[in-house]
Structures are given as structure tokens and as C-alpha cells.
Amino acid sequence: MYKVAVLMSSYNGEDYIFQQIDSILNQRDVNVQIYIRDDGSTDRTLRIIERFKENVTVFRDENVGLKNSFGSLIWDKSIKADFYAFSDQDDVWDEDKLLTALAALSECDGVGMYASNQRVVDANLNFIKPLYGEKGNDLPFPEYKNFKDCFLHCNYFGNTLVLNENAMEVIRSYRPSNMIVQHDTWVSIIVYMFGNIIFDSTMHSSYRQHRKNAVGGLVESSSVFKKFNTLVNKQPIYTELANVLIKGYQKQINLDDLKWLHVVASLPQWTAKFQLLFDKNVKDKSIYKTIVLKALIILSKF
């Protein structure tokens, strides 16, 4: 029976964390060990976690935020398993979630990652909609034409991801000094560069939406002023991400992808701006979003 290490970051999750841990421990036909890094909870979260005596390891630590909390678990090489999964603290997993992922990854040679669809539900687990869907859904299925597309729009949700041992080995070979993006975006881009991503359009978990969500699955409309303010104050994430990827993996990255990353990393130089402005692959799903993307380049906010 395969061993799966489930990595979870907790923070003031007393309302739902018991149900989530219980659903993970009740996965069918897999050997599960949960590793929880508590990010400085001030409620009853730790006391609830401690009610699970077996198969749960908890690390109490200070508050560093979601992406760095997950980073601590990802690069903790004392955590060893055949497969690695990420978990939120407030969802509920179907009992076949991990088994389905492992069946898909068992046919994957080398670096591999599994991701899936999930149900968006309310606080009481009432169904709202699928997270991903066809036309009309807020989020289309995550299908990327090339590396540039994945780099710019990667949208695999961490609580569905399962990595094989080869993928984790590549990810752990380099630890950035600062997590530029969320952990799921980081590992997804790494796997896309060096291996295969299997996306399952069926739903194997319930993604709970409530007032305390750190990251949400419902898209809320915003005013023109708010959108403009976000644009003006945006940090140049893509440029920083390109620099970090080059530093960590330049000897392994495909030559064409590496050249493009160097262009992104050389912003705000005008030569780089012109190349990216006229790059047909630097675009989004709509004309409006593409214009925003090009504006970020011009404003050195890319």
C-alpha cells in the first residue's frame, strides 16, 4: 500500500478542520500520514488537531502566511513518502480522492502531478457549482498550450494536487529565498517544465466557501476604481518569478523557455517590453484581460 504524505497549513481553523482531517484519514486503500504546520493559531485549532492521536504530525510555529507555511512543509526533507498531496484546513475529501490520483500517477513515468476538478460548496457543504467547467463557468478547465501560457495563467488549485516522488525530488532540489507565488502555482510550473500534469475533470472533493477563506473559489465583481487601483499598486510578480526560476533551474530548463524567461527577467528594459508586447503568446482569454496584461508590461508591473 502506497504511503501518501498530506501537507496542510492550519490557521484559526477550529470551525472545519476536524471534518477535513477525518475525511483525509478515511481515504480508501492508501497509507496516509498528515503533516500540519500550524501558522500561529490563536483559537482551538491545535487542541482539535491533538485529538487525532495517530497518523497526524503537527508543527507549532509562528505566523508567516500561507505560502511560506506550505513552503516549510514542502522543503522539510524529513517528510518522506511515495506521493505527496496538499490540503486546505476546511474542505472535505471524497474517500476515493487519493486512490484516484495514485491510479493516474502510476502510469506516469518521471516527474508527475495530478490535479482535479472539485465541488464548490457553501459553509454547510451545499453544492454551488463545479470549480472548473465549460463556457459560462468562472474558471475554464486548466489547459495550457505551452510554457508561456502556463507561466502566465497557471490555475491548478493546491487542494487537488498530488505529486509523485520524482516531482517532489525536483521541487526540493532548489528552495527560493522567498516564495514569490502561492505553493500550488510554484509546484505546478516546475512540474510543467520538467514532467507531466494529469488533469481529472471529475470532482473528488468539496471546496468549502465561507467568510474566513484564505483563497476563494467564487469570483466577485469589482468596481472600475478597484480594478484600476489594483493595477497601479501591483507588484511585478512575473519578473520576480522569472528571476527565481532562472536562478534555481537554468541548467535544466528548455532553451527556448529559458530565453523567454531572460526576457521577462530583464524588465523594465524597453527592449524586453517591446518583445513581450509583440509576443503573440503573451495574451489572456479576453481582449480586456490581454490589454491589462500589456498595460502591466508598459507600467513595469509585469
Side-chain angles (χ1 to χ4, degrees):
M1 191 179 294
Y2 288 117
K3 180 180 178 181
V4 182
V6 177
L7 312 182
M8 179 193 297
S9 175
S10 64
Y11 178 71
N12 289 351
E14 63 180 4
D15 293 339
Y16 308 112
I17 196 167
F18 182 93
Q19 195 172 13
Q20 170 66 318
I21 295 174
D22 189 57
S23 75
I24 296 171
L25 294 178
N26 281 294
Q27 293 293 294
R28 281 198 291 116
D29 300 326
V30 292
N31 179 6
V32 175
Q33 181 71 34
I34 307 175
Y35 297 89
I36 303 173
R37 181 193 179 278
D38 187 75
D39 197 33
S41 290
T42 55
D43 64 358
R44 297 184 304 116
T45 297
L46 283 166
R47 276 180 280 168
I48 293 171
I49 294 171
E50 289 166 356
R51 290 163 63 181
F52 294 91
K53 301 298 183 183
E54 297 181 2
N55 302 102
V56 178
T57 302
V58 61
F59 307 99
R60 301 172 182 234
D61 216 329
E62 63 183 0
N63 186 273
V64 295
L66 187 67
K67 59 187 177 183
N68 289 309
S69 185
F70 268 109
S72 294
L73 293 169
I74 291 170
W75 282 282
D76 185 343
K77 295 183 180 180
S78 69
I79 300 174
K80 298 179 181 179
D82 301 305
F83 297 91
Y84 300 82
F86 298 111
S87 170
D88 291 345
Q89 66 180 3
D90 45 14
D91 304 328
V92 175
W93 288 6
D94 298 357
E95 63 177 11
D96 68 342
K97 180 183 185 295
L98 290 179
L99 190 62
T100 303
L102 270 53
L105 286 171
S106 66
E107 300 181 9
C108 179
D109 293 327
V111 173
M113 184 184 89
Y114 167 93
S116 75
N117 206 347
Q118 55 185 330
R119 298 171 217 92
V120 179
V121 299
D122 65 17
N124 297 312
L125 301 179
N126 296 307
F127 178 80
I128 299 175
K129 65 176 183 177
L131 180 67
Y132 299 107
E134 301 291 350
K135 293 180 180 179
N137 193 286
D138 293 328
L139 291 175
F141 290 131
E143 299 168 346
Y144 305 108
K145 297 177 181 179
N146 50 48
F147 170 71
K148 296 177 185 179
D149 193 16
C150 181
F151 178 90
L152 293 172
H153 308 298
C154 187
N155 199 21
Y156 295 106
F157 273 57
N159 58 330
T160 76
L161 304 188
V162 182
L163 306 167
N164 65 14
E165 198 169 7
N166 290 325
M168 187 59 90
E169 184 178 352
V170 171
I171 291 162
R172 284 177 168 171
S173 67
Y174 169 69
R175 181 173 186 175
S177 57
N178 181 39
M179 289 290 286
I180 305 301
V181 292
Q182 293 292 352
H183 66 285
D184 45 7
T185 300
W186 177 261
V187 302
S188 298
I189 289 174
I190 301 301
V191 174
Y192 191 94
M193 288 195 299
F194 303 122
N196 295 292
I197 296 177
I198 302 165
F199 179 73
D200 182 356
S201 62
T202 58
M203 297 175 281
H204 298 283
S205 58
S206 295
Y207 182 38
R208 198 190 313 250
Q209 299 298 291
H210 55 89
R211 59 188 176 83
K212 295 182 181 178
N213 276 98
V215 179
L218 296 176
V219 177
E220 296 181 359
S221 60
S222 57
S223 66
V224 172
F225 174 78
K226 186 176 180 181
K227 290 178 179 178
F228 178 77
N229 191 54
T230 299
L231 183 67
V232 170
N233 293 306
K234 189 178 185 302
Q235 296 299 309
I237 298 297
Y238 295 126
T239 304
E240 292 183 41
L241 179 58
N243 273 298
V244 173
L245 288 172
I246 292 168
K247 183 178 180 180
Y249 293 101
Q250 60 180 330
K251 293 182 179 179
Q252 300 139 276
I253 300 174
N254 171 282
L255 185 58
D256 288 338
D257 295 339
L258 182 61
K259 288 180 179 178
W260 185 77
L261 285 174
H262 274 293
V263 172
V264 176
S266 63
L267 286 171
Q269 294 180 13
W270 275 103
T271 52
K273 287 186 179 183
F274 280 121
Q275 287 185 62
L276 293 172
L277 286 172
F278 293 101
D279 188 331
K280 294 180 180 180
N281 288 299
V282 180
K283 61 181 181 180
D284 212 319
K285 305 295 182 183
S286 67
I287 295 175
Y288 165 74
K289 289 183 178 180
T290 299
I291 291 172
V292 171
L293 205 58
K294 301 293 185 179
L296 291 175
I297 295 169
I298 294 171
L299 296 171
S300 300
K301 301 286 186 176
F302 189 69

